[in-house]
Amino acid sequence: MASMPNILVTGGAGFIGAHICEALVRANYRPVIYDNLTNSSHTVIERLEHLTGVRPLLIHADLRDERQLNAAFEQTTFAAVIHLAALKAVGVSMAQPLQYYDVNVAGTLALLAAMRHANVRTLVFSSSATVYGDASTVPIREDSPRNPTNPYGRTKAAAEDILTDLAHAEPGWRLAVLRYFNPIGAHESGLIGEDPQGTPDNLLPYITQVAIGCRKALNVFGNDYPTPDGTGVRDYIHVVDLAEGHIAALQCLEASGGCIIANLGTGYGLSVLEVVRAFERASNRHIPLRFVSRRPGDVAQCYADPRSANRLLGWKAERDIHRMCADAWRWQSLNPRGYRDAPAVAGRARSVWPAFRSRLHQRPFIPHGPEALDA
């Protein structure tokens, strides 16, 4: 334990954060979670301990609390920070822009001030493909124009600008800006996964809640987009691949320094209906659909050109859409009410994990692209 560098993970108890913490331990780092638990659960800590053998320290606090934030840096020596903590619902950001700027931009400024004070100058930042807006061409490269169409995307673009300005003004900083596309799936153990509070804002958790019987049908927001089947097209990436991308970025900064901007995606897009069909095959469950009007701020299609991440970080998304859906369904099946199903589920998941791992490793290769859907 003493030899494991401490990494502060803001928002580390959330969906993506929990998987990053698991990946950090595998890479011989010690995650320290800083989270106000607004959209997450304390149960994640126990699950991570069961999964990794390491119990992450949880600092239950808000990033905008200067006293708590500075105390965290005074009490622990951190090698780096992975900054995930943010509000992220596009639709809610349209209705509550001030709250989004306060949390996402002011929170980032508070964190950078505390890091500078503590002389911690290595940061991996969770950005988003929403900074590109309705891109004129796909796949989207990092040098594509940024034109976010909603307040959430604009808060991420603002934070990126702050980091870029900081890198120019103070060259000692080592910064990685990772533009996520659409993380889905769950850890193969079923111990950690996506547990949205209230109505899910993202596609796959809504699908899994329909499949488990919590909801009657999937609302498909728009079937008149200029896409092959009329539904929105996105780049869906397995959350474990995404987590491993953060480890690759952290290790790249440790080795080379500088400032990196990279897309984390698979490089191909899938429509809503294609994901539904893949999930039905992975789960053997039928998903009823209800077509409704488009949501404000949504775009027709968005998928990555991930070659910069391949080249700069030595990273590539490896898990296909079948794996994403199967892992998400395993998580939901073992945790029908999310982390509220805590103690018994943890034991059951641990008992079935070796069998799941064996079956996953025996599964024949599935093409890593849309052609997998027609197999």
Side-chain angles (χ1 to χ4, degrees):
M1 180 73 70
S3 63
M4 300 172 74
N6 294 310
I7 308 296
L8 185 67
V9 185
T10 73
F15 169 48
I16 296 170
H19 290 83
I20 288 174
C21 288
E22 186 275 332
L24 282 167
V25 175
R26 277 194 282 124
N28 203 36
Y29 295 98
R30 181 176 183 267
V32 176
I33 295 173
Y34 192 106
D35 202 307
N36 64 10
L37 301 182
T38 298
N39 293 306
S40 52
S41 169
H42 192 280
T43 303
V44 169
I45 307 303
E46 283 74 33
R47 299 285 186 94
L48 284 170
E49 183 178 18
H50 289 315
L51 197 52
T52 67
V54 173
R55 184 180 182 86
L57 172 66
L58 171 65
I59 302 170
H60 185 186
D62 193 289
L63 268 185
R64 296 162 295 172
D65 186 330
E66 182 179 350
R67 183 183 62 82
Q68 292 259 39
L69 191 54
N70 285 327
F73 282 95
E74 289 167 4
Q75 294 166 11
T76 305
T77 299
F78 295 109
V81 175
I82 298 177
H83 178 31
L84 311 168
L87 299 174
K88 65 179 185 64
V90 168
V92 178
S93 79
M94 303 285 283
Q96 301 176 13
L98 290 181
Q99 184 181 11
Y100 271 66
Y101 278 95
D102 186 28
V103 173
N104 296 2
V105 180
T108 299
L109 285 169
L111 175 63
L112 291 170
M115 289 178 66
R116 178 200 268 159
H117 183 73
N119 199 30
V120 178
R121 304 295 175 106
T122 302
L123 174 71
V124 178
F125 174 64
S126 159
S127 190
S128 168
T130 57
V131 301
Y132 296 118
D134 196 356
S136 57
T137 60
V138 288
I140 302 170
R141 302 190 333 180
E142 289 82 359
D143 59 0
S144 297
R146 293 183 312 161
N147 186 28
T149 59
N150 54 71
Y152 166 64
R154 285 189 279 273
T155 66
K156 288 297 187 179
E160 286 190 8
D161 290 342
I162 291 167
L163 294 175
T164 302
D165 289 343
L166 180 61
H168 288 151
E170 301 178 19
W173 286 83
R174 299 183 291 184
L175 304 169
V177 172
L178 303 181
R179 292 174 178 161
Y180 303 176
F181 280 69
N182 293 76
I184 60 174
H187 190 272
E188 64 181 339
S189 66
L191 281 171
I192 55 175
E194 189 165 9
D195 183 21
Q197 310 298 302
T199 303
D201 293 303
N202 298 326
L203 175 62
L204 200 58
Y206 206 116
I207 292 175
T208 62
Q209 289 190 9
V210 172
I212 205 72
C214 295
R215 302 185 185 278
K216 292 182 178 180
L218 171 69
N219 290 326
V220 179
F221 294 98
N223 62 349
D224 58 349
Y225 284 105
T227 61
D229 64 22
T231 65
V233 169
R234 298 291 183 272
D235 187 333
Y236 295 95
I237 177 174
H238 198 295
V239 66
V240 175
D241 280 327
L242 186 76
E244 291 170 353
H246 288 73
I247 309 305
L250 178 60
Q251 293 173 341
C252 181
L253 291 178
E254 289 173 341
S256 306
C259 182
I260 299 165
I261 298 176
N263 291 331
L264 293 189
T266 64
Y268 63 89
L270 296 172
S271 74
V272 171
L273 296 185
E274 287 176 317
V275 174
V276 169
R277 199 171 71 203
F279 181 84
E280 288 178 330
R281 294 217 293 239
S283 65
N284 200 29
R285 295 290 179 104
H286 172 65
I287 304 300
L289 304 179
R290 182 168 51 231
F291 292 96
V292 297
S293 59
R294 300 182 186 184
R295 290 183 299 191
D298 278 350
V299 300
Q301 58 180 347
C302 181
Y303 56 95
D305 180 340
R307 287 178 295 179
S308 287
N310 303 160
R311 177 173 51 84
L312 295 172
L313 309 181
W315 169 91
K316 181 181 179 182
E318 299 290 347
R319 295 159 179 87
D320 61 31
I321 187 61
H322 179 95
R323 179 71 178 273
M324 298 178 212
C325 292
D327 288 344
W329 178 232
R330 184 179 307 113
W331 152 258
Q332 189 73 79
S333 301
L334 289 169
N335 305 268
R337 300 185 305 138
Y339 289 114
R340 294 177 292 286
D341 288 319
V345 170
R348 190 160 79 250
R350 289 199 305 279
S351 70
V352 300
W353 183 18
F356 277 129
R357 183 187 291 275
S358 175
R359 290 216 301 273
L360 284 167
H361 290 172
Q362 292 168 9
R363 179 181 294 125
F365 174 75
I366 297 175
H368 195 81
E371 62 272 19
L373 296 169
D374 298 319

